[in-house]
């Protein structure tokens, strides 16, 4: 049976005279595409080419209607030869997409139909054109299209609007970016100014206002603060008024500022204000209200306040340096009244006969069964407070012996004062440090170092400061106590008192409030030094005093070891001699000749010398900080056996903290003839 012949697919190549037409309607679709191309597309392309290749030329937009007539004739011919469903599909497509045009085919053609030159845009100055277009009404926008081509005009207009919108969006974005950057910069400046103001250590500024009552209560003296706030805002508004040429408002603000400043004056409390203050507040409030209505500008006010804050911060920094310098200068000086007291006592002492210059009970000076105190001072008044406070709080005054050592200048004054004012039944003895022949530069390293030219250069010419602020950081090195052997004599107690077993060392800036005899009964557990540790929140450990970058320090000491306080220390002199404490001190002092281990003072070498040889005492024995810390709890002070005015604000100076001074002044006899004669007062 012969195999039936397969039907060949329809081909447009023309080979073999072409295939047979299928009987069904679907077989007639390929010829339809050819007919559409011949009768519709070809004429359209012809007119496009004839019009110079201009895109966007719609067939239905021909003004003479020739293309429209040809299209109608073509559609009529198609209707006669095409099946009804095919013709309806073409008609529906044309109605859906509008009048046939080149855009229709360009938007719907295959990639092979797309061209790059269908739309030709003429170059123009974009920025200048955009400005002109933005300034003209929409119907007056310029165009490069011929008025005979309304569709082209609409397309060009739409493109320009789109470009203009893009430009506007870019401008808005750039503006937003700039505003954002400006806000970030402003916030950074404000935060930096606030942080700098927070970093100002008000404690170093003098602390004279920290303990004032108005700072303890936020609601106190609100009138003073209100007037000062008004003055600040008036200055801001006056600057804005002047910048905006509102001279009348500027003059009114300046007048009110002067009036308010005069009413406030130097007042720090509401009670100190002038009686006209309420009236000035009302008048200033009215002017500020008017200024707010006329010249208020949030951004400008913020900038002005920020500038004022930064300026105030710089002033505070400068005043802080000056205050530090002046406080250190005041701390190392002796007030005129105390100097007067010392001079008068010295004169009267050397007028005394020799037999009247001796103290009674000298046999107690080497009795190890009594309570012995070591006090090294060149301040007569301070030494008298230490002795008086100790005796007045002692249960058995007759068993207490005071060993005072002073310098040659104050030796006569110290003797004369205690000859005139003996401490009851207690024993007292005064010595001159310059008469200790064994204390010389060949034996004592620190004395040899103090006599060297390098040390004098370091202490007296450090950085060669020429201003107050420049010299503030170096003045502490020039304090006489760092150059006086009285300050270093504490490392030679066994040499000074060879017959004693235990001795209580006291600084001259302490006040004794309780009986101290129980300290001699404290078991030091083989240690040499009994002291109160100072590694609490407000004090420091070893790494704050010593240079741990030096290998000698880093190898031998723990940087987190707890420090302790000089000022009230019980020393076991027997253990001192066994462990050769003075030799240990000499070793470290010799190693620090170039000041590479610590800078200055006696506490750092004391920490090294008594490392692991210190027995901690209960904190109630010794409370520190009355010379620099205004926030010590009153109950803590009242319960302490000894209070210590360590710091620059000594109780005998004018810069002393008034809240702590009564603990010291109650042991001074202000009715004494010498004290009255030198104008010493509470």
């Amino acid at each position: 049976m012969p195999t039936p012949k397969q039907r060949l697919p329809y081909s447009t190549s023309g080979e073999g005279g072409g295939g047979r037409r299928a009987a069904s309607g679907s077989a007639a679709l390929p010829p339809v595409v050819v007919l559409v191309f011949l009768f519709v597309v070809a004429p359209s392309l012809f007119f496009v080419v004839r019009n110079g290749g201009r895109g966007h030329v719609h067939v239905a937009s021909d003004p003479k209607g020739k293309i429209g007539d040809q299209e109608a004739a073509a559609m009529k011919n198609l209707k006669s030869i095409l099946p009804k469903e095919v013709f309806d599909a073409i008609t529906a497509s044309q109605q859906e997409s509008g009048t046939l045009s080149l855009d229709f085919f360009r938007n719907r053609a295959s990639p092979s139909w797309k061209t790059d030159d269908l739309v030709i845009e003429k170059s123009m100055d974009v920025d200048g054109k955009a400005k002109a277009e933005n300034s003209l009404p929409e119907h007056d926008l310029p165009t490069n299209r011929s008025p005979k081509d309304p569709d082209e005009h609409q397309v060009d207009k739409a493109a320009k609007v789109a470009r203009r919108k893009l430009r506007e969006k870019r401008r808005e974005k750039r503006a937003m970016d700039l505003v954002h950057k400006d806000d970030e910069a402003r916030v950074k400046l404000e935060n930096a100014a606030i942080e700098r103001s927070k970093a100002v250590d008000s404690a170093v500024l003098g602390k004279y206002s920290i303990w004032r009552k108005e700072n303890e209560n936020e609601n106190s003296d609100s009138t003073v603060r209100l007037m000062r706030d008004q003055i600040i805002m008036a200055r801001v508004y006056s600057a804005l008024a002047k910048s905006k040429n509102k001279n009348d408002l500027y003059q009114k603000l300046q007048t009110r500022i002067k009036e308010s400043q005069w009413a406030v004056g130097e007042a720090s409390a509401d009670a100190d204000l002038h009686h006209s203050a309420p009236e000035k507040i009302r008048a200033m409030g009215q002017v500020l209200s008017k200024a707010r209505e006329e010249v208020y500008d949030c951004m400008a006010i913020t900038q002005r306040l920020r500038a004022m804050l930064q300026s105030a911060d710089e002033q505070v920094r400068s005043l802080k340096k000056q205050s530090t310098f002046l406080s250190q200068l005041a701390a190392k000086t002796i007030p005129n009244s105390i100097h007067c007291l010392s001079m008068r006592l010295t004169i009267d002492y050397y007028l005394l006969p020799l037999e009247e210059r001796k103290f009674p009970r000298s046999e107690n000076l080497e009795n190890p069964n009594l309570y012995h105190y070591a006090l090294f001072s060149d301040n007569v008044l301070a030494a008298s407070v230490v002795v008086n406070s100790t005796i007045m709080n002692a249960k058995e005054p007759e068993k207490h012996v005071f060993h005072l050592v002073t310098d040659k200048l104050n030796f006569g004054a110290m003797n004369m004062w205690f000859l005139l004012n003996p401490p009851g039944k207690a024993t007292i003895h005064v010595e001159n440090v310059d008469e200790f022949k064994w204390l010389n530069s060949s034996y004592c390293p620190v004395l040899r170092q103090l006599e060297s030219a390098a040390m004098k250069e370091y202490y007296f010419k450090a950085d060669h400061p020429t201003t107050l602020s420049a010299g503030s950081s170096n003045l502490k090195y020039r304090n006489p106590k760092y150059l006086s052997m009285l300050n270093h004599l504490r490392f030679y107690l066994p040499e000074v008192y060879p017959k004693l077993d235990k001795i209580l060392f006291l600084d001259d800036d302490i006040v004794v409030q309780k009986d101290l005899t129980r300290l001699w009964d404290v078991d030091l557990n083989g240690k040499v030094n009994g002291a109160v540790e100072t590694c609490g929140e407000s004090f420091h450990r070893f790494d704050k005093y010593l240079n741990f970058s030096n290998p000698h320090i880093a190898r031998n000491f723990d940087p987190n070891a707890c420090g302790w306080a000089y000022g009230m220390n019980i020393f076991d002199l027997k253990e001192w001699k066994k462990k050769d404490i003075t030799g240990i001190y000499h070793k470290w002092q010799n190693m620090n000749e170039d000041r590479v281990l610590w800078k200055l003072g006696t506490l750092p070498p004391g920490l090294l010398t008594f490392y692991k040889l210190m027995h901690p005492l209960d904190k109630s024995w010794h409370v520190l900080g009355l010379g620099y810390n205004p926030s010590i709890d009153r109950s803590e002070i009242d319960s302490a056996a000894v209070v210590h005015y360590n710091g620059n604000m000594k109780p005998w100076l004018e810069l002393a903290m008034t809240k702590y001074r009564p603990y010291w002044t109650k042991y001074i006899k202000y009715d004494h003839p010498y004290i009255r004669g030198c104008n010493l007062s509470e």
Side-chain angles (χ1 to χ4, degrees):
M1 184 174 178
T3 303
K5 191 180 293 184
Q6 294 182 353
R7 179 180 298 175
L8 295 174
Y10 179 79
S11 175
T12 59
S13 63
E15 183 180 355
R20 292 178 301 173
R21 181 179 302 186
S24 64
S26 60
L29 287 178
V32 172
V33 176
V34 176
L35 292 173
V36 171
F37 178 81
L38 293 174
F39 291 94
V40 179
V41 179
S44 300
L45 291 175
F46 172 75
F47 284 104
V48 170
V49 174
R50 191 184 68 176
N51 291 331
R54 294 185 304 173
H56 304 283
V57 180
H58 294 198
V59 177
S61 64
D62 183 73
K64 297 182 179 180
K66 293 180 180 180
I67 297 174
D69 294 341
Q70 292 179 2
E71 182 183 352
M75 293 298 291
K76 186 176 181 181
N77 293 334
L78 287 174
K79 185 176 182 181
S80 62
I81 63 176
L82 294 176
K84 184 176 183 303
E85 58 270 23
V86 176
F87 184 82
D88 291 340
I90 295 174
T91 305
S93 176
Q94 182 180 0
Q95 291 175 354
E96 182 179 354
S97 60
T99 307
L100 291 176
S101 65
L102 184 58
D103 290 337
F104 173 84
F105 293 98
R106 182 174 59 187
N107 295 333
R108 293 167 175 79
S110 64
S112 63
W113 279 68
K114 296 181 179 179
T115 59
D116 296 332
D117 58 342
L118 293 178
V119 180
I120 300 177
E121 296 181 359
K122 295 185 178 180
S123 61
M124 62 181 180
D125 186 354
V126 177
D127 294 334
K129 201 75 171 179
K131 293 179 181 178
E133 289 171 358
N134 291 334
S135 62
L136 292 176
E138 190 171 330
H139 63 275
D140 292 336
L141 289 174
T143 179
N144 292 333
R145 301 300 183 190
S146 171
K148 296 181 180 180
D149 299 330
D151 291 332
E152 294 179 6
H153 176 74
Q154 292 177 1
V155 173
D156 286 346
K157 179 180 176 182
K160 292 176 181 177
V161 171
R163 289 195 300 272
R164 184 168 66 250
K165 289 182 178 179
L166 288 175
R167 286 195 298 271
E168 291 176 353
K169 289 181 179 179
R170 286 196 296 270
R171 291 194 189 101
E172 290 177 0
K173 186 176 183 302
R174 286 196 298 269
M176 292 297 294
D177 291 341
L178 291 174
V179 171
H180 182 67
K181 290 180 180 179
D182 183 66
D183 291 341
E184 288 182 347
R186 184 173 67 255
V187 170
K188 287 181 180 179
L189 287 174
E190 291 174 353
N191 291 338
I194 292 172
E195 290 302 321
R196 286 198 300 271
S197 64
K198 288 181 180 179
V200 174
D201 185 4
S202 57
V204 184
L205 293 179
K207 296 184 178 175
Y208 314 122
S209 63
I210 293 179
W211 54 87
R212 294 187 65 90
K213 292 182 179 180
E214 63 266 20
N215 292 326
E216 299 174 0
N217 184 0
E218 294 181 356
N219 297 323
S220 64
D221 304 323
S222 57
T223 305
V224 173
R225 291 199 294 271
L226 174 60
M227 294 190 71
R228 288 174 177 166
D229 291 343
Q230 284 185 331
I231 292 172
I232 292 172
M233 289 307 303
R235 288 174 178 169
V236 173
Y237 281 130
S238 65
L240 294 177
K242 187 174 183 180
S243 64
K244 295 183 179 182
N245 294 324
K246 294 185 177 294
N247 296 326
D248 293 341
L249 179 60
Y250 173 76
Q251 293 298 333
K252 290 180 180 178
L253 287 167
Q254 290 295 317
T255 301
R256 297 305 178 194
I257 289 173
K258 293 178 181 179
E259 292 177 352
S260 295
Q261 288 176 335
W262 179 83
V264 173
E266 299 295 330
S268 57
D270 289 351
D272 301 333
L273 289 173
H274 192 266
H275 62 82
S276 63
E279 179 184 349
K280 305 302 181 185
I281 292 175
R282 287 192 297 270
M284 178 65 86
Q286 294 174 356
V287 177
L288 290 177
S289 178
K290 182 180 180 182
R292 186 161 47 248
E293 294 175 357
E294 294 187 14
V295 298
Y296 182 80
D297 185 341
C298 183
M299 183 66 70
I301 289 176
T302 301
Q303 293 175 351
R304 291 283 179 182
L305 290 174
R306 185 172 68 243
M308 293 173 67
L309 177 62
Q310 292 174 345
S311 176
D313 181 61
E314 293 300 324
Q315 291 179 8
V316 168
R317 288 174 178 274
S318 176
L319 292 174
K320 173 185 172 182
K321 292 181 179 179
Q322 294 182 19
S323 176
T324 303
F325 178 89
L326 294 174
S327 63
Q328 290 176 354
L329 182 64
K332 77 168 191 174
T333 57
I334 297 296
N336 287 336
S337 55
I338 297 180
H339 181 70
C340 164
L341 176 65
S342 180
M343 292 299 101
R344 290 193 176 188
L345 289 169
T346 300
I347 294 172
D348 291 346
Y349 174 75
Y350 288 107
L351 293 176
L352 283 177
L354 292 177
E355 60 274 11
E356 296 182 14
R357 298 181 187 179
K358 296 181 180 180
F359 291 99
R361 296 179 288 276
S362 58
E363 65 278 4
N364 294 335
L365 295 178
E366 296 181 350
N367 186 351
N369 297 319
L370 300 179
Y371 305 112
H372 294 266
Y373 299 85
L375 175 61
F376 309 144
S377 175
D378 58 358
N379 188 324
V380 176
L381 196 62
S384 71
V385 170
V386 175
V387 174
N388 290 342
S389 63
T390 304
I391 295 302
M392 291 177 67
N393 291 284
K395 295 179 180 179
E396 298 177 300
E398 66 277 4
K399 293 184 178 181
H400 294 260
V401 181
F402 293 91
H403 302 267
L404 272 70
V405 181
T406 187
D407 55 15
K408 180 169 54 178
L409 182 64
N410 294 280
F411 177 73
M414 199 76 72
N415 276 281
M416 189 64 188
W417 176 264
F418 287 105
L419 286 171
L420 295 174
N421 306 280
K425 296 180 180 180
T427 303
I428 194 165
H429 179 59
V430 180
E431 295 180 271
N432 181 3
V433 68
D434 296 310
E435 294 179 358
F436 294 162
K437 303 303 181 183
W438 54 267
L439 193 64
N440 50 57
S441 58
S442 61
Y443 174 67
C444 179
V446 70
L447 189 59
R448 182 177 65 254
Q449 293 169 9
L450 291 174
E451 292 176 353
S452 67
M455 186 64 72
K456 293 178 180 177
E457 177 76 15
Y458 180 71
Y459 277 117
F460 293 102
K461 298 182 180 179
D463 292 345
H464 302 278
T466 56
T467 62
L468 284 179
S469 60
S472 61
S473 61
N474 298 306
L475 185 65
K476 61 184 178 181
Y477 296 104
R478 305 169 188 187
N479 196 316
K481 72 177 184 178
Y482 298 122
L483 304 176
S484 172
M485 277 308 300
L486 285 176
N487 199 42
H488 297 270
L489 194 61
R490 62 191 69 189
F491 293 103
Y492 300 94
L493 290 174
E495 284 86 347
V496 181
Y497 311 109
K499 301 290 183 68
L500 301 180
D501 297 334
K502 278 189 175 182
I503 195 165
L504 183 64
F505 172 79
L506 298 176
D507 266 342
D508 63 355
D509 55 352
I510 63 106
V511 173
V512 178
Q513 300 186 126
K514 293 183 179 180
D515 182 48
L516 301 179
T517 55
R518 288 188 296 116
L519 285 171
W520 275 263
D521 298 329
V522 173
D523 185 4
L524 298 181
N525 298 315
K527 305 297 177 62
V528 180
N529 176 14
V532 171
E533 293 181 329
T534 58
C535 52
E537 293 182 359
S538 59
F539 296 99
H540 305 303
R541 296 181 182 268
F542 270 43
D543 62 340
K544 300 299 181 182
Y545 299 100
L546 304 172
N547 178 21
F548 274 86
S549 63
N550 186 282
H552 297 291
I553 299 296
R555 282 197 305 264
N556 295 284
F557 303 98
D558 179 9
N560 294 316
C562 191
W564 45 269
Y566 263 133
M568 189 210 69
N569 308 80
I570 183 72
F571 290 108
D572 187 335
L573 299 184
K574 287 185 177 180
E575 290 294 328
W576 184 305
K577 296 172 185 176
K578 289 180 183 179
K579 294 179 170 60
D580 190 21
I581 297 300
T582 303
I584 297 174
Y585 165 70
H586 283 174
K587 167 194 168 184
W588 289 109
Q589 192 68 49
N590 283 323
M591 293 176 64
N592 193 50
E593 187 166 359
D594 296 329
R595 299 172 302 280
V596 295
L597 305 184
W598 69 88
K599 289 296 183 183
L600 73 169
T602 55
L603 180 57
L607 297 177
L608 300 179
T609 301
F610 295 100
Y611 184 60
K612 295 184 178 180
L613 296 174
M614 191 276 298
H615 176 76
L617 301 176
D618 188 88
K619 291 185 180 297
S620 62
W621 280 109
H622 188 188
V623 171
L624 299 101
L626 276 70
Y628 70 89
N629 186 2
S631 58
I632 303 175
D633 189 79
R634 184 183 180 91
S635 61
E636 187 179 356
I637 297 175
D638 293 338
S639 62
V642 170
V643 292
H644 194 172
Y645 292 85
N646 58 314
N648 285 336
M649 302 177 191
K650 303 299 184 185
W652 55 83
L653 301 176
E654 291 185 4
L655 52 81
M657 299 186 192
T658 55
K659 64 185 295 186
Y660 299 146
R661 205 162 183 265
Y663 294 101
W664 187 80
T665 55
K666 70 179 181 179
Y667 294 105
I668 297 177
K669 299 177 181 179
Y670 285 98
D671 58 347
H672 194 281
Y674 280 90
I675 292 180
R676 286 204 316 267
C678 291
N679 298 320
L680 274 165
S681 62
E682 296 186 54

